[in-house]
Amino acid sequence: MKCPASPGPGNAARCKSAAGTCFTLLFAAVLLWHSASAWAEDSRERRRDESVVACSDYGRGCVRGPVRRGRVEREVRMPGGTWIGCKGNCRRTLREEALDFFETLNDRVWDD
């Protein structure tokens, strides 16, 4: 909307209203674009369906656990459903915590 050149009580309000509307529309467009790009990135990550398979070093079989991005680090889901932080390597974390818990606990005690 083009503001008239002649000043007047009604013209100033109309110009401010048009400027406010333009700003609001621009802000909404930027917000929508940002939301759409964040949603697209999130859906790409979900499509990846990353999981790890860990096999026991002591002959106790293998388990598969999905991996997700946590607040600080990646997390792997234990067979019971609990999500735990990957200590650098999700496969190793799953093996040590789900399959070889007592053996690795014993190794950690003797390594100190």
Side-chain angles (χ1 to χ4, degrees), residues 34-48 69:
H34 181 69
S35 302
S37 64
W39 177 80
E41 183 179 334
D42 187 44
S43 65
R44 273 193 303 271
E45 286 183 15
R46 271 187 270 139
R47 268 186 269 136
R48 195 173 347 160
R69 184 176 303 206

Side-chain angles (χ1 to χ4, degrees), residues 18-34:
T21 302
C22 287
F23 178 78
T24 302
L25 289 175
L26 179 63
F27 181 76
V30 169
L31 188 62
L32 181 64
W33 175 79
H34 181 69

